[in-house]
Amino acid sequence: MPDLPSAARVVIIGGGISGCSVAYHLAELGWTDIVLLERKQLTSGTTWHAAGLVGQLQSTQNRTRLAKYSADLYMRLEAETGLATGFRQCGSMTVALSTERREEILRLAGMARAFGVEVHELTPSEVGAMHPHLNLDGVVAGVHLPKDGQADPGNVALALAKGARMRGARIVENVKVSTVTTAGGRVTGVDWQSGEESGHIAAEHVVNCGGMWGRDLAARNGVTVPLHACEHFYIVTETIPELQRLPVLRVPEECAYFKEDAGKILLGAFEPVAKPWGMDGIREDFCFDQLPEDFDHFEPILEKAIHRMPMLAEAGIHTFFNGPESFTPDDRYYLGEAPELRGYWVAAGYNSIGIASSGGAGMALARWMTDGAPPFDLWEVDVRRAQPFQKNRRYLRERVSETLGLLYADHFPYRQMASSRGIRRSPLHEHLKARGAVFGEVAGWERANWFADAGQPAEYRYTWGRANWFDNQRAEHMALREGVGLLDMTSFGKIRVEGRDALAVLQTLCANDMDVAAGRIVYTQMLNARGGIESDLTVTRLSETAFLLVVPGATLQRDLNWLRRHLGDAAAVVTDVSSGEAVLPLMGPKARDLMALVSPDDFSNGAFPFGTAREIEIGMGLARAHRVSYVGELGWELYVPTEQAAHVFETLVEAGTEVGLRLCGLHAMDSCRIERAFRHFGHDITDEDHVLEAGLGFAVRTGKGDFIGRDAILKVRETGLSRRLMQFRLTDPEALLYHGEPILRDGKVVGHVTSGNYGHALGGAIGLGYVPCSPGETGAEMLASTYAIDIAGRLCPADASLAPLYDPRSERVKL
Ligand SMILES: NCCCC(=O)O
């Protein structure tokens, strides 16, 4: 009979590195009554066969921050626990074989450096000096991270487990969780089995660290954790006598990584088309299992690797390894509390970088569970980004066969997934496609990003330079600025909040005043207690007791979750009505002229002012027109019952010929919104960003009474801001900004670009980003500095502004 309590504060399911790290960090934060249950033996799923690379260079700042934490933790873990982890700070090197890849690694290096990661750029001959066995054919550059390392993954997990046990956590093997029990939308504990024995542990929290079992385990409780295992291949050579100690080497363009360990080379592959595994479930007795080798599948990578490191041709292969690892639809892992079930936490789906990620992820989750909020913005890995449909196994199988290879593929800006597409489509999809739309995907939605001209291939050609759609974007952008453009934003999340207490609920959750007349639209944020932004939305009062909330499609699950969790026993219901209406923004100074051609209603400023919504006739149908704009121009967002969308679209397009209507895509919408300095949730504004630092004080009404975040606003009003969101325009019209580029103030790195695009009306790349300031420092003082943005090592001078560079007085929306 396993030695298990009948109650615990938290039960962690899964004894891989993820579960051990969560247990370690919760114990470190003083949690008692921690129980970790492992179905077989610790590390016996995926951890034991991981390659053990601890690389800090991740594709975003916050994942880099977490990976840096892992590297620092593993450095000290052996001394703390007395258990050897095999961690060696051998450094790592990534080489580029093309100028495009060079741009990518130098951009990443600049970003990582801004976060305190030591990183050096290398010329080809410096690459050769650092790795003398390397064939330098085609190598154009490299980056070296001396503090990267490698470790024995199993031992790191065991050391974390020991550290957790030393602080009182109970870690028990050979106990399987058969059910996570629930009541009233909350976790109540777990039922367990061990051989013939079974029992129950009552618990406030459960953490799903189930790795490749994570999806199925979650699905049993209706929780969405979309991940799927893929086969991951590597070989280990026999001992190579002349081999010296080497840094980890990544040659992403040849899909390969090389790790020197004890005189042998481990060569691993991230091939472009991977082999999903475990489609019909995973064998009950799976424990330290390997999968059958597939030499034909590995051979193309091996051939290139032999060319790159010719000594491999002579080295015998000691081990040909194939083992399953979990992959997710967007190559990002899942952390946080599941929106479906209170007390159900997730740390899973590590996409083959679980050793590098788990240390930091365990720390972040433990702090999240302790404080009820993540330690910093973790939206990119937040489990609430998962869409319910992504549980579908066929979707996952097809998608992960692509995402494994994407780990080492070029991470070009605007790169789109090729697999598992077309799942969520607007009713106008075929209309847009027939007119040249090139689609991108967000949250499963297909969205027209740009429109190809007649005869132009309707496809992306990826680059770090000017894209093949740059001129299309410019034409669409200028149509929105000078004429009239029609967009399709059906992917917006639409939420109805209604009932006797709907107003009271929204007054508590929103920073702006919701007590407005029916037909008014209010731009607002939902804040957390720190004044950070949980949601960025418009709220339209439909009647005394009904409100329509419009949110980005990508944040719908998060926003629904935030609303529902704060309902308490209020007499209000929250309903996702996203599928009921298509959204057609008609924007530009000629929008009123076009509306007059398709509708008998009055669209004058007097009759239809900015910030109002009303039902209108359009063609032979009805729509609700909202006078708002995310591009900063006169216009209306038309909310049309889904089944009337095609009719309204056809009516607008037909009449539009008279006023030069142009179909516009999301790329033009984004370039317009960044010129106008409209913030984008998840980039410019997150739960870490105080609403006043974000420059959104104009949408805050502290005088209306209490609401979540009010105290934090009053406090900052008293103490002053410690940073401010600024807008930048590069003075070189050729340079391009995407995201993550370091910002320099008077020659010193002070922040990074939170979002970037090209300002076609302003004539240069535009970026937003936070700049620290001292309390009391005036805007004029901030603007007296000189600013530059580091783009892959080149310093590009930038004009900085606190007010929007385009239409600073917001006159155009009120034309
Ligand atoms: N599991 C392999 C890790 C690969 C990498 O860190 O690049």
Side-chain angles (χ1 to χ4, degrees), residues 50-55 232 250 257 270 325 351-354 356 407-408:
L53 308 191
V54 188
H232 178 51
R250 295 181 179 86
Y257 62 90
F270 289 113
E325 297 189 338
N351 300 291
S352 201
I353 48 170
L407 277 176
Y408 277 16

Side-chain angles (χ1 to χ4, degrees), residues 490 492-496 548-549 556 575-578 581 583:
T490 300
F492 272 151
K494 297 141 220 146
I495 304 169
R496 275 180 84 104
L548 178 73
L549 281 51
L556 175 64
T575 314
D576 172 11
V577 293
S578 304
E581 289 181 327
V583 185

